Amino acid sequence: PKTGNCPMSTPWLIVSDLVAVAVLVFVLYFPRNGRRDMVVALLGINVGLLGIAMTLTRSTVNLGLGLGLFGVLSIIRLRSSELGQQEVAYYFTALALGLLGGMPIDPAWATPTLMGAALVAVYVGDHPRLYERNRNQTVTLDRAHTDETELITRLESMLGGTVVRLKVRRIDLVNDSTIVDVRYRMNGG
């Protein structure tokens, strides 16, 4: 059976979503990042949103209300655990794939094409060879550095790279320490 005025049937939407989320999780995310706990989160959020989106598009319940409630739940989830920007990108891609699979659109090729575009974006954006020498760390130094030039020199020596940007988070003159977020490029290679 066709859904709405969209020529793509419900089973194909579900299969498209499941294939796309499997690629996202098992081909892109886990081999690159190795966080087993995120596998279940990505799969669960995707399949859950797929089911909710399909249910809401086929019922009289206001779709905006349902998606708004789901968005609130997602934000709570994101705030309850410390996720890096990389994990947030995978998380929202899983959400987008679920929405695309659960809401039939016309023409039929648009859903798999948009799913493919989301996967390509994550593949390229998280590719290990993209900016492979760039790093970001929060460093706690055992000295209060008030001179930025001296701080950069120490960080470059310690990290073996060139500081691209830094943000001093805290200088403790009493306990003689500095906490700094530093972005740097590894030397060589």
Side-chain angles (χ1 to χ4, degrees):
K2 308 274 185 213
T3 54
N5 62 358
C6 180
M8 186 172 238
S9 68
T10 299
W12 285 112
L13 288 170
I14 294 170
V15 167
S16 295
D17 175 67
L18 294 177
V19 168
V21 78
V23 169
L24 178 74
V25 172
F26 299 112
V27 176
L28 299 176
Y29 179 76
F30 191 77
R32 291 179 177 177
N33 298 283
R35 275 191 65 182
R36 187 172 177 254
D37 61 323
M38 283 296 292
V39 169
V40 70
L42 293 171
L43 292 173
I45 198 74
N46 174 268
V47 174
L49 186 56
L50 173 69
I52 289 170
M54 287 188 139
T55 300
L56 291 175
T57 58
R58 287 155 182 78
S59 72
T60 58
V61 175
N62 183 325
L63 181 61
L65 171 68
L67 293 178
L69 291 172
F70 200 80
V72 169
L73 293 174
S74 298
I75 290 169
I76 291 168
R77 165 64 183 112
L78 289 172
R79 294 187 67 160
S80 66
S81 174
E82 191 172 313
L83 296 178
Q85 292 303 312
Q86 199 170 16
E87 278 91 5
V88 170
Y90 279 99
Y91 195 80
F92 278 108
T93 302
L95 285 168
L97 293 174
L99 275 173
L100 287 168
M103 298 174 62
I105 55 176
D106 197 19
W109 54 263
T111 295
T113 301
L114 290 170
M115 287 179 170
L119 293 173
V120 168
V122 171
Y123 173 79
V124 171
D126 189 37
H127 198 282
R129 304 267 316 176
L130 182 67
Y131 303 114
E132 66 184 328
R133 293 178 35 219
N134 287 37
R135 304 285 189 275
N136 184 24
Q137 288 189 31
T138 300
V139 179
T140 302
L141 300 167
D142 60 352
R143 183 162 169 252
H145 289 275
T146 56
D147 180 298
E148 189 171 301
T149 305
E150 178 185 312
L151 176 60
I152 290 171
T153 301
R154 177 148 185 224
L155 287 167
E156 288 180 342
S157 172
M158 184 185 332
L159 299 171
T162 303
V163 171
V164 175
R165 185 172 178 204
L166 63 84
K167 171 101 175 144
V168 175
R169 294 291 176 192
R170 183 173 176 204
I171 297 175
D172 187 337
L173 297 172
V174 174
N175 294 315
D176 203 23
S177 65
T178 304
I179 299 173
V180 61
D181 287 333
V182 60
R183 293 182 187 149
Y184 62 100
R185 187 173 300 112
M186 297 293 295
N187 293 332

